[in-house]
């Protein structure tokens, strides 16, 4: 369909990705008492995934014509 | 009555024929084989009439024609365009740029000679 | 210690700057040169979400619960991804219906119901006032801390003086003044405040910079980076417990989920968020960029929360300082006065921006959806007989601002001191979350009804009151303790924190669960079983299908019949004031080309316009009630509305189709134009081609004719001269013949009528033969020949005559341009994979770089780089290329002027397979 509806679909996918990050047991994988480079793994996970989510969103918004990675051509 | 004629053409065989013809007509002759030589010869040789081909290396006949007409000290020089470019457009362009005659190749030797004589006579009558 | 006067004057100076920005913004808006009409300012204004709670409270919460502060920011990030769907729709609806507030939105959706608007307003005011007081508390505490000597241990609790000695009271008044100045300077047709938005965006920048400054100061000044802070904290068991999410300290996984959900609702439905995101939105398109810019802001402002929290906990390990104040206390005890002042201003900006926007939003609601409807209904006031109500309206707006702020102040003085910043904020979040079902259901589900929304809202609100603010009264000491332990009236099922016996939740999750359950449940079930009035159905369609009805076509389906101009005018004058009413009428009349002076009654369209103009100022419910008093006929029945809507829809669909058609036409026209251009280009090329051919034919013909005539006319010529002229004639005739043959060849190749004689041939042999044929010419110019050819034959499939022609052509070119005596021609044949590569090299004059690609084109005579003379007919290389390409080979030239040129061409070798198994391949015709 239109580029607009494709964009909306991508954004909804990102929303679901965010839900997976923060609202599913996926979260508990990182809820461990360990540190990496002195920073607790949970903190690292939360902020890195957050940054990633924002970057992806920016990408979807700012480069709407970018073909999705899994398309064959 | 005689005059000075500058032949500008890059085809050696055509130059030979023109040289022969103009010699027969009793004119003083100089030959230029391209646009650059032609411009030099204009100053040095001070011709009364130029037989000018259009397709020339470096500077084509139209440009030379324009140059001559733009320079007041060459005002008296007559120009006969002598070229294989025979389209209406080319002829009009030549005349518009100030050529006195436009003759397409291949030409009749007699007609050419007569044309040259006629033009040179007119100019001397004017003067 | 920083002197009081320094702090106060800095604060006042800051407010002055804000004032200047707001003033400038308003001025620009009046000149139609908006400074806020871009997605960046829009995104920054959305950051009004980050209040003093973020600025001071996040650190406090992080110090107690680790990452427990984060869901409040993760929720909005998630929600933002859906904005393009949800927020865009809400904005479109609000613009079309001239919505002025969130209460107006809900009321308008459910049939412009005044009751619904009133209820929403009550919930919003009661729910938000604590939140307002929280901001005042933050300002007050931060003022105390910064003005007290660092040696004195600060508890972070406000010390109360008498009312007139209390700075916070004056701050509240100043903020009220500021809000009045920029929120209600005029009653506009739209409730937009450009200057204010500019100021809010500025405040967002200030608080971000201040927070980052203190974050960097703590993380990299007091400690050595993130790793260092956390490593040190990990050695302290109480702090190390905060590193993960666990039940004892930081709350459960379930609590986390509820908070994410809660903040998702808050970012949409907090009155101030609705104000900046929807009402103040200049352009729907700005939403897109905000989808990632706003979460980015949240991300950045939260980066240093954890380091500051842990840094503070370790710095004040005796627990003497309230974690809510770490942001300010840390720079103070480290004697960084400037930083402390910056932080104070940052917190001040966070608090003031929230207070100002929230107050405006609440006062608009309070005035339009609560006060006005009530006052207009009080018959004894005889308001409907007053000529001009606009000054009353303005007064009402202003006094409601003061009222709201005073409510916040008194809440702060008498109750607020008992709670931490965050817990107050969360209570407010829960209150506004009650709007979610009515709004989200309202824009996606046509079935949602007024009674359903009303029931859901009231139920949710009652549960909220009972489970959150009510028990807090126990903590304050107003209510007896046993209500918590034994339940209301001793009924065990009615314990505020364990409603109906539900246990194991923290109070927020507990409230959310029950209120949402009842709210959504009642909203849906009652909607399904209630009968909806005409206007409800109309509004439902207008809201849910907003994108169908707004394709550039105006619609006005709710009224039919007419209204007297005079009465409409006096109605508008009453609420908007004489000048505004006159201006609106004049503009509209001009647009519709009506002369109002000669018109007695106006049509439905005009009525609709008047209602919208009124709605923008007093809200949709009041506007409708007022208009219905002057319109002569009944509103349309649902069926009629539906048919009008369908018609609108058809018109829109039709106009879309037309647009599409005209786009198609445009495309077709463009294509035609392009085709025409191509044709003209071809024509020109053909013309050029013919002209060039004639030129090429005429040139030798000229010599032939001239010399023939000379010979004819001059019978007395010398024999030698005669011979000379005759030789010229012969040569030029040959030239003519050659040219004609080449032309015919070219024409044959191009029109595909050439007879190709394909056979298996040895290219080595062919090249040798060609060289043999030209040896005479080479000898004449004394050219040296160098041949590097393999001993074995190399077979190809090709036409031997044509390929010989290729070689002869290249060789004669090489000979022509080689210098006499010193000429050297080198011929190479080599096998390259399944190709054979032949090259002919000379040491002649060479070809200029710019000409190298052109020489293979027809009549592209390349002028001699030395004397500029053209060479050859200009067809030889064109034919050569055609022949090579026909054999599926390639031809090119490499040359440097003055040093010579090398022509290369490749031909595919006959494959071994073809040689052995398919003899007919020798005559394989190629297409």
């Amino acid at each position: 369909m239109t580029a607009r509806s494709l964009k909306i679909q991508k954004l909804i996918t990102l929303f679901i990705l965010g839900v997976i990050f923060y609202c599913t047991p996926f979260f508990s994988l990182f809820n461990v008492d360990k540190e990496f480079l002195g920073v607790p793994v949970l903190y690292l996970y939360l902020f890195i995934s957050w940054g990633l989510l924002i970057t992806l969103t920016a990408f979807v918004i700012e480069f709407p014509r970018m073909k999705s990675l899994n398309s064959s051509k | 009555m005689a005059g000075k004629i500058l032949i500008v053409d890059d085809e050696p065989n055509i130059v030979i024929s023109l040289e022969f013809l103009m010699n027969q007509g009793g004119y003083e002759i100089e030959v230029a084989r391209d646009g650059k030589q032609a411009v030099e010869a204009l100053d040095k040789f001070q011709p009364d009439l130029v037989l000018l081909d259009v397709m020339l290396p470096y500077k084509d006949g139209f440009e030379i024609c324009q140059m001559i007409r733009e320079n007041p000290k060459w005002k008296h020089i007559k120009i006969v365009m002598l070229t294989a470019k025979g389209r209406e457009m080319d002829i009009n362009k030549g005349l518009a740029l100030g050529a006195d005659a436009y003759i397409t190749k291949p030409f009749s030797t007699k007609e050419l000679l007569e044309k040259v004589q006629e033009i040179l006579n007119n100019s001397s009558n004017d003067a | 210690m920083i002197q009081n006067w320094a702090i106060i004057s800095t604060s006042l100076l800051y407010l002055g700057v804000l004032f200047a920005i707001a003033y400038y913004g308003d001025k620009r808006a009046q000149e139609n040169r908006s400074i806020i009409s871009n997605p960046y300012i829009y995104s920054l204004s959305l950051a009004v979400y980050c209040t003093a709670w973020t600025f001071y409270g996040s650190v406090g919460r992080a110090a107690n619960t680790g990452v427990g502060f984060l869901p409040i920011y993760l929720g909005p990030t998630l929600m933002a991804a859906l904005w393009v769907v949800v927020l865009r729709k809400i904005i479109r609806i609000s613009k079309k219906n001239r919505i002025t507030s969130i209460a107006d939105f809900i009321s308008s959706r459910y049939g412009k119901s005044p009751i619904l608007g009133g209820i929403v307003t009550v919930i919003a005011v009661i729910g938000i006032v604590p939140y307002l007081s929280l901001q005042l508390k933050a300002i007050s505490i931060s003022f105390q801390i910064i003005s007290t000597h660092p040696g004195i241990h600060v508890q972070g609790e406000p010390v109360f003086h008498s009312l007139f000695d209390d700075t916070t009271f004056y701050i509240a008044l100043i903020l009220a003044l500021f809000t009045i100045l920029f929120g209600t300077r005029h009653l506009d047709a739209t409730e937009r405040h450009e200057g204010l938005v500019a100021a809010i965006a500025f405040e967002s920048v200030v608080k971000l910079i201040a927070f980052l400054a203190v974050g960097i100061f703590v993380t990299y000044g007091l400690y050595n980076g993130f790793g260092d802070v956390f490593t040190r904290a990990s050695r302290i068991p109480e702090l190390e417990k905060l590193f993960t999410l666990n039940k004892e300290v930081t709350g459960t996984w379930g609590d986390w989920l509820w908070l994410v959900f809660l903040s998702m609702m808050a970012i949409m439905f907090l009155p101030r968020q609705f104000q900046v995101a929807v009402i103040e939105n200049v352009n729907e398109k700005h939403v897109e960029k905000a989808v990632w810019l706003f979460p980015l802001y949240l991300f950045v402002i939260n980066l240093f929360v954890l380091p500051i929290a842990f840094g503070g906990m370790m710095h004040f390990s005796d627990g003497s300082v309230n974690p809510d104040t770490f942001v300010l206390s840390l720079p103070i005890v480290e004697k960084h006065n400037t930083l402390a002042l910056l932080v104070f201003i940052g917190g001040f900006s966070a608090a003031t921006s929230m207070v100002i926007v929230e107050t405006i939003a609440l006062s608009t609601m309070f005035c339009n959806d609560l006060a006005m409807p009530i006052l207009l209904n009080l018959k004894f006031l005889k308001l409907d007989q007053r000529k001009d109500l606009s000054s009353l309206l303005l007064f009402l707006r202003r006094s409601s601002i003061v009222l709201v702020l005073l409510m916040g102040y008194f809440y702060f003085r008498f109750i607020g001191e008992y709670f931490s910043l965050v817990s107050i904020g969360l209570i407010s979040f829960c209150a506004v979350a009650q709007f979610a079902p009515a709004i989200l259901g309202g824009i996606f589900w046509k079935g949602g009804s007024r009674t359903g929304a009303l029931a859901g809202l009231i139920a949710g609100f009652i549960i909220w009151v009972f489970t959150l603010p009510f028990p807090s009264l126990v903590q304050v000491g107003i209510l007896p303790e046993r209500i918590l332990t034994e339940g209301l009236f001793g009924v065990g099922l009615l314990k505020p924190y364990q409603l109906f016996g539900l246990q194991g939740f923290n109070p927020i999750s507990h409230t959310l669960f029950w209120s949402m359950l009842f709210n959504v449940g009642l909203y849906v079930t009652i909607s399904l079983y209630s009968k909806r009035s005409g206007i409800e159905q109309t509004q439902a369609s207008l809201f849910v299908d907003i994108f169908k009805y707004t394709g550039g076509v105006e619609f006005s389906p709710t009224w039919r019949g007419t209204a007297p101009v005079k009465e409409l005018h006096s109605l508008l004058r009453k609420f908007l004031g004489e000048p505004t009413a006159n201006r609106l009428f004049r503009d509209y009349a001009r647009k519709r080309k009506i002369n109002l002076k000669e018109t007695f009654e106006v049509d439905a369209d005009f009525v609709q316009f008047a209602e919208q103009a009124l709605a923008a100022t007093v809200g949709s419910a009041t506007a409708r009630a007022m208009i219905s008093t002057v319109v002569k006929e009944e509103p349309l029945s649902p069926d009629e509305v539906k048919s009008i809507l369908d018609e609108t829809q058809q018109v829109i669909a039709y106009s879309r189709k037309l647009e599409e058609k005209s786009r198609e036409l445009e495309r077709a026209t463009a294509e035609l134009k392009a085709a025409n251009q191509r044709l003209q280009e071809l024509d020109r090329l053909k013309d050029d081609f013919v002209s060039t051919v004639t030129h090429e034919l005429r040139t030798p013909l000229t010599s032939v004719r001239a010399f023939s005539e000379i010979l004819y006319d001059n019978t007395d010529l010398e024999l030698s001269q005669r011979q000379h002229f005759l030789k010229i004639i012969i040569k030029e005739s040959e030239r003519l013949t050659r040219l004609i043959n080449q032309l015919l060849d070219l024409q044959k190749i191009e029109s595909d009528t050439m007879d190709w004689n394909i056979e298996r041939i040895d290219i080595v042999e062919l090249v040798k033969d060609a060289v043999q044929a030209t040896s005479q010419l080479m000898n004449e110019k004394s050219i040296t020949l160098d041949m590097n050819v393999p001993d074995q034959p190399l077979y190809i499939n090709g036409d031997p005559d044509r390929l010989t022609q290729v070689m002869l052509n290249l060789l004669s070119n090489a000979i022509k341009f080689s210098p006499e005596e010193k000429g050297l021609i080198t011929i190479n044949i080599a096998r390259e994979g399944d190709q054979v590569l032949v090259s002919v090299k000379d040491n002649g004059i060479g070809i200029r770089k710019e000409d190298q690609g052109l020489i293979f084109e027809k009549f592209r005579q390349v002028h001699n780089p030395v004397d500029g003379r053209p060479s050859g007919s200009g067809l030889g290389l064109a034919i050569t290329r055609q022949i090579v390409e026909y054999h599926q080979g390639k031809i090119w030239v490499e040359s440097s002027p003055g040093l010579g040129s090398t022509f290369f061409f490749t031909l595919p070798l006959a494959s071994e397979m073809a040689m052995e198994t398919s003899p007919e391949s020798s005559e394989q015709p190629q297409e």
Side-chain angles (χ1 to χ4, degrees):
Chain A
M1 263 191 62
T2 60
R4 159 146 223 108
S5 111
L6 187 65
K7 190 187 271 182
I8 289 176
Q9 287 169 33
K10 285 181 188 165
L11 288 172
I12 291 177
T13 311
L14 284 177
F15 169 76
I16 294 169
L17 181 69
V19 170
I20 293 170
F21 277 163
Y22 308 122
C23 307
T24 67
F26 190 70
F27 181 97
S28 65
L29 289 180
F30 299 91
N31 193 16
V32 289
D33 199 356
K34 281 190 188 128
E35 284 105 63
F36 179 76
L37 298 175
V39 182
V41 169
L42 179 66
Y43 299 178
L44 273 182
Y45 164 69
L46 286 171
F47 277 93
I48 290 174
S49 63
W50 193 6
L52 181 74
L53 209 56
I54 294 168
T55 314
L56 289 175
T57 316
F59 214 72
V60 167
I61 297 282
E62 303 299 327
F63 303 100
R65 279 188 209 100
M66 196 69 84
K67 286 271 178 252
S68 52
L69 295 171
N70 54 2
S71 68
S72 54
K73 271 183 182 178
Chain B
M1 85 131 272
K4 293 206 273 183
I5 295 181
L6 175 64
I7 299 172
V8 187
D9 203 322
D10 63 333
E11 276 288 328
N13 289 337
I14 295 179
V15 170
I16 293 172
S17 69
L18 288 173
E19 265 182 302
F20 182 90
L21 286 169
M22 295 305 130
N23 257 330
Q24 256 188 343
Y27 298 105
E28 205 180 317
I29 299 162
E30 181 73 38
V31 175
R33 297 191 177 273
D34 61 48
K36 269 189 206 161
Q37 287 183 11
V39 175
E40 285 166 22
L42 279 171
D43 256 345
K44 250 195 266 164
F45 180 62
Q46 302 275 350
D48 300 308
L49 184 144
V50 183
L51 283 177
L52 190 56
D53 187 19
V54 171
M55 299 275 276
L56 287 171
Y58 299 132
K59 216 178 207 89
D60 73 20
F62 291 133
E63 284 176 71
I64 295 172
C65 183
Q66 197 174 8
M67 244 182 68
I68 295 173
R69 286 291 168 255
E70 277 168 4
N71 194 333
K73 74 177 175 190
W74 290 332
K75 213 172 70 186
H76 66 283
I77 298 181
K78 299 291 166 188
I79 299 170
V80 176
M81 301 288 268
L82 191 60
T83 159
K85 280 194 160 238
R87 280 185 300 185
E88 191 109 347
M89 203 181 82
D90 299 318
I91 297 173
N92 289 340
K93 187 172 172 188
L95 295 175
L97 284 172
D100 296 277
Y102 194 101
I103 295 173
T104 42
K105 293 174 180 173
F107 49 85
S108 146
T109 49
K110 264 188 221 122
E111 277 172 30
L112 176 66
L113 214 52
E114 281 167 15
K115 193 89 196 170
V116 168
Q117 276 165 353
E118 177 196 323
I119 289 174
L120 282 176
N121 281 342
N122 279 349
S123 77
S124 55
N125 290 349
D126 293 344
Chain C
M1 174 171 174
I2 302 171
Q3 298 294 334
N4 271 6
W5 63 264
I7 305 159
I8 291 172
S9 55
T10 310
S11 312
L12 287 178
L13 188 71
Y14 176 75
L15 280 178
V17 170
L18 273 193
F19 193 87
I21 292 174
Y23 185 81
Y24 180 65
D26 267 349
K27 201 167 142 260
R28 289 284 293 252
Q30 269 167 8
E31 295 164 2
N32 251 332
R33 295 188 301 150
S34 173
I35 52 167
I36 68 161
S37 182
N38 68 69
Y40 304 101
I41 299 287
Y42 181 66
S43 303
L44 280 175
S45 73
L46 289 176
V48 72
Y49 183 71
C50 298
T51 62
W53 165 3
T54 303
F55 201 86
Y56 294 115
S58 279
V59 168
R61 193 165 167 88
N64 290 323
T65 68
V67 291
F69 71 100
L70 259 189
I72 302 305
Y73 307 97
L74 293 177
T77 303
L78 295 185
M79 197 69 212
L82 299 181
W83 274 355
V84 175
V85 183
V86 182
L87 183 57
R88 227 180 112 249
K89 190 165 190 179
I90 294 180
I91 291 175
R92 179 72 71 88
I93 293 170
S94 302
K95 297 237 144 107
K96 274 286 153 189
N97 292 279
R98 308 280 193 103
I99 299 296
T100 59
S101 68
I102 197 163
D104 199 18
F105 189 91
I106 295 177
S107 143
S108 179
R109 161 62 181 82
Y110 298 99
K112 308 191 180 176
S113 153
I115 296 174
L116 211 42
I119 294 277
V120 172
T121 305
V122 169
I123 297 176
V125 171
I126 295 180
I128 297 298
V129 162
Y131 199 0
L132 270 176
S133 79
L134 181 155
Q135 309 301 322
L136 297 176
K137 177 178 175 178
I139 296 174
S140 160
I141 293 175
S142 62
F143 183 77
Q144 263 175 42
I145 291 175
I146 199 170
S147 60
T148 321
H149 197 275
I152 298 168
H153 276 252
V154 190
Q155 275 304 327
E157 284 307 330
V159 180
F160 288 106
H161 313 278
S162 74
L163 188 66
F164 297 103
D165 211 17
D166 185 0
T167 349
T168 318
F169 179 70
Y170 291 107
I171 288 168
L173 286 184
I174 289 172
L175 287 178
L177 184 70
F178 189 88
T179 312
I180 285 169
L181 277 175
F182 281 93
T184 61
R185 273 201 312 176
H186 36 69
L187 280 171
D188 214 351
T190 48
E191 272 306 321
R192 290 192 38 226
H193 316 85
E194 294 226 342
L196 203 76
V197 173
I200 297 307
F202 173 72
E203 298 218 79
S204 291
V205 175
V206 171
K207 66 194 176 200
L208 183 64
I209 289 172
F211 198 83
L212 288 181
V214 69
I216 291 167
F217 164 71
V218 172
T219 315
Y220 293 100
L222 300 184
Y223 297 89
N224 291 317
F226 289 93
D228 183 41
V229 179
F230 294 124
T231 311
R232 289 206 210 175
S234 71
R235 297 192 200 114
I236 304 165
E238 296 93 73
L239 295 187
E240 210 253 349
K241 274 183 198 157
L242 300 174
F243 282 11
T244 54
L245 201 64
N246 55 70
K247 206 172 171 181
E248 307 87 69
V249 190
T250 55
T252 64
W253 169 243
D255 297 336
W256 168 280
L257 288 186
W258 280 112
L259 284 181
V260 173
F261 170 78
L262 183 60
S263 58
M264 281 174 69
M265 298 302 111
I267 192 66
M268 296 297 296
F269 306 128
L270 278 170
R272 69 171 185 283
Q273 293 304 134
F274 196 87
Q275 183 79 25
V276 288
V278 180
I279 311 293
E280 308 283 359
N281 173 281
V282 181
N283 185 337
E284 218 174 273
K285 291 201 185 90
H286 295 168
V287 171
E288 283 209 359
K289 248 198 181 55
V291 164
W292 66 274
L293 276 179
F294 173 62
L296 184 64
Y297 184 99
L298 296 182
F299 178 83
V300 174
I301 206 170
N302 276 300
L303 265 180
F304 291 105
V305 169
L306 285 162
I308 297 175
F310 285 115
M313 293 296 271
M314 290 187 281
H315 218 81
F316 307 108
S317 51
D318 54 352
S320 60
V321 173
N322 182 345
D324 276 349
T325 67
F326 280 170
V327 179
L328 194 53
S329 311
L330 283 168
I332 289 179
V333 294
E334 291 298 320
K335 302 207 167 57
H336 276 270
N337 281 355
T338 323
L339 181 62
L341 205 57
L342 177 66
V343 169
F344 172 75
I345 290 297
F348 188 66
S349 71
T352 50
S353 61
M354 181 279 184
V355 169
I356 291 165
V357 181
E358 200 86 85
T359 309
I360 285 182
L362 286 180
S363 76
T364 307
M365 273 191 241
F366 187 81
C367 179
N368 286 355
D369 295 282
L370 204 61
M372 266 328 257
I374 292 175
L375 290 180
L376 286 168
N377 271 325
L378 295 178
K379 297 290 175 218
F380 61 87
L381 289 176
K382 299 210 166 81
L383 281 183
D384 47 339
Q385 284 163 29
R386 294 234 322 235
K387 256 197 164 173
D388 190 346
L389 288 179
S390 63
S391 54
L392 173 75
L393 214 57
L394 213 49
F395 171 75
L396 214 57
R397 204 57 79 69
R398 286 172 181 166
S399 42
S400 59
I401 286 174
V402 177
L403 184 73
V404 167
L405 266 169
L406 284 182
M407 278 161 77
Y409 173 74
F410 285 108
Y411 187 94
F412 152 71
R413 267 203 85 147
F414 299 116
I415 305 173
E417 59 180 299
Y418 298 95
F419 302 99
S420 73
L421 296 178
V422 171
S423 60
I424 298 179
L426 285 178
I427 290 173
S428 294
F429 273 27
C430 285
V432 296
Q434 305 309 322
F435 302 149
I439 292 180
L440 292 178
I443 63 171
F444 291 113
W445 182 43
K446 278 188 214 173
S449 79
R450 190 181 68 96
T451 30
L454 206 56
L457 272 173
I458 292 174
F461 180 57
I462 289 175
I463 290 170
W464 174 79
V465 170
F466 183 67
T467 56
L468 283 178
F470 186 65
S472 66
L473 294 180
V474 178
Q475 276 165 304
V476 179
I478 295 173
L479 291 170
E481 183 83 27
R482 60 170 196 282
I483 289 182
L484 289 186
T485 51
E486 291 165 25
L488 188 63
F489 312 124
V491 182
L493 288 180
L494 294 181
K495 292 180 199 159
Y497 287 145
Q498 284 123 36
L499 192 61
F500 309 125
L502 185 72
Q503 289 185 16
F505 281 87
N506 76 11
I508 297 294
S509 314
H510 172 261
T511 303
L512 258 186
F513 170 73
W514 281 124
S515 63
M516 279 298 136
L517 183 73
F518 278 89
N519 191 334
V520 175
L522 287 174
Y523 172 65
V524 174
T525 31
I526 293 184
S527 289
L528 289 175
Y529 286 98
S530 58
K531 196 173 172 299
R532 294 177 304 153
S533 70
I535 183 158
E536 263 188 87
Q537 291 179 35
T538 312
Q539 291 301 99
S541 294
L542 281 180
F543 272 50
V544 176
D545 295 332
I546 183 77
F547 289 112
K548 272 196 219 163
Y549 299 126
T550 51
V553 180
E554 285 299 318
F555 58 96
S556 58
T558 46
W559 295 102
R560 88 176 142 185
T562 55
V565 177
K566 254 190 163 170
E567 285 182 38
L568 265 184
H569 185 262
S570 71
L571 190 66
L572 253 63
R573 191 184 54 202
K574 198 187 283 183
F575 288 94
L576 307 178
E578 180 103 34
T580 314
N582 285 344
R583 183 171 51 80
L584 284 171
F585 264 60
R586 215 174 34 241
D587 291 351
Y588 189 79
R590 197 179 301 140
K591 211 169 92 191
R592 292 274 314 274
K593 299 190 174 64
I594 311 170
N595 187 346
L596 284 177
K597 286 196 180 111
E598 293 164 12
T599 321
F600 176 66
E601 286 197 331
V602 288
D603 60 6
D605 205 38
F606 202 114
V607 177
Q608 177 79 12
F609 153 77
E611 186 189 345
Q612 284 194 347
L614 213 51
T617 305
V618 296
S620 51
T622 311
R624 181 171 180 82
M626 290 297 104
I627 291 285
S628 66
T629 61
V630 294
V631 170
K632 282 189 172 167
E633 277 180 68
E634 282 296 291
L636 296 169
S637 76
D639 285 344
E640 283 169 306
V641 169
K642 190 162 182 328
S643 79
I644 293 175
L645 284 180
D646 285 346
E647 214 171 278
T648 320
Q649 216 175 316
Q650 276 165 10
V651 170
I652 291 167
Y654 183 66
S655 80
R656 281 218 183 106
K657 242 182 228 157
L658 268 182
E659 253 172 52
E660 217 166 276
K661 272 267 156 58
S662 80
R663 261 201 301 276
E664 261 168 39
L665 261 176
E666 252 168 50
R667 250 202 312 279
T669 317
E671 272 167 25
L672 260 178
K673 246 188 214 158
N676 200 24
Q677 228 159 27
R678 269 200 302 280
L679 274 178
Q680 277 174 349
E681 175 78 358
L682 276 179
D683 237 27
R684 203 180 53 73
L685 283 178
K686 205 176 113 201
D687 195 34
D688 279 356
F689 180 75
V690 171
S691 157
T692 319
V693 168
T694 40
H695 183 269
E696 290 308 308
L697 287 171
R698 276 176 172 177
T699 302
L701 210 52
T702 308
S703 302
V704 171
R705 182 172 176 185
F707 284 109
S708 303
E709 284 185 16
I710 290 171
L711 285 169
Y712 183 83
D713 291 339
N714 301 282
T715 45
D716 55 342
L717 281 179
E718 275 173 42
L719 187 66
S720 67
Q721 200 166 23
R722 219 179 158 77
Q723 287 296 93
H724 182 206
F725 287 175
L726 282 169
K727 196 180 170 192
I728 290 176
I729 294 178
I730 294 169
K731 275 215 161 163
E732 293 292 327
S733 306
E734 278 170 5
R735 180 174 164 190
L736 212 48
T737 319
R738 205 164 52 237
L739 189 67
I740 291 170
N741 284 338
Q742 283 180 339
L743 271 174
L744 288 176
D745 278 354
L746 195 65
Q747 193 270 335
K748 269 192 203 159
I749 297 175
E750 285 192 340
S751 65
D752 241 345
T753 50
M754 178 78 105
D755 286 325
W756 296 94
N757 225 338
I758 305 292
E759 48 192 77
R760 190 157 157 267
I761 45 173
D762 175 12
I763 186 77
V764 179
E765 197 59 39
L766 186 138
V767 170
K768 281 181 183 164
D769 288 348
V771 170
Q772 189 61 41
T774 51
S775 58
Q776 175 68 25
L777 283 170
M778 285 192 229
N779 284 341
E780 276 174 21
K781 282 183 93 173
S782 312
I783 290 168
T784 320
L785 180 73
D786 189 6
M787 291 264 279
N788 301 311
V789 300
D791 300 332
Q792 289 90 3
L794 287 171
Y795 288 105
I796 60 158
N797 290 320
D799 183 322
D801 293 341
R802 298 297 160 199
L803 290 175
T804 304
Q805 196 183 342
V806 167
M807 273 316 290
L808 287 177
N809 216 327
L810 294 181
L811 281 168
S812 59
N813 267 348
I815 293 166
K816 187 159 41 167
F817 295 111
S818 288
E820 260 176 272
E821 309 296 333
K822 280 179 250 159
L824 170 68
I825 294 178
T826 313
I827 294 167
N828 263 301
I829 304 179
R831 189 184 167 147
E832 300 221 322
D834 53 355
Q835 307 259 329
V836 59
L837 175 72
V838 182
S839 64
V840 178
K841 184 179 175 190
D842 64 58
N843 60 346
I845 49 178
I847 302 161
R848 276 174 298 198
K849 190 111 200 144
E850 60 267 31
D851 291 334
Q852 287 177 12
L854 299 175
I855 55 170
F856 295 104
E857 283 172 36
K858 280 179 289 193
F859 294 116
R860 282 298 188 156
Q861 282 176 325
V862 172
H863 296 286
N864 188 316
V866 180
D867 63 7
R869 293 187 50 195
S871 38
S873 68
L875 284 177
L877 281 174
I879 293 172
T880 302
R881 185 184 71 166
Q882 298 270 19
I883 295 172
V884 171
E885 284 179 355
Y886 180 83
H887 286 85
Q888 266 134 41
K890 267 189 222 140
I891 186 165
W892 69 96
V893 66
E894 288 168 11
S895 174
S896 34
L899 294 176
S901 328
T902 312
F903 282 82
F904 299 87
F905 68 89
T906 62
L907 292 169
L909 285 166
S911 71
E912 305 300 307
M913 289 293 289
M915 246 162 48
E916 285 164 18
T917 58
S918 73
E920 66 266 42
S921 71
S922 58
E923 57 205 44
Q924 95 195 63
Q926 305 193 9
E927 291 176 47

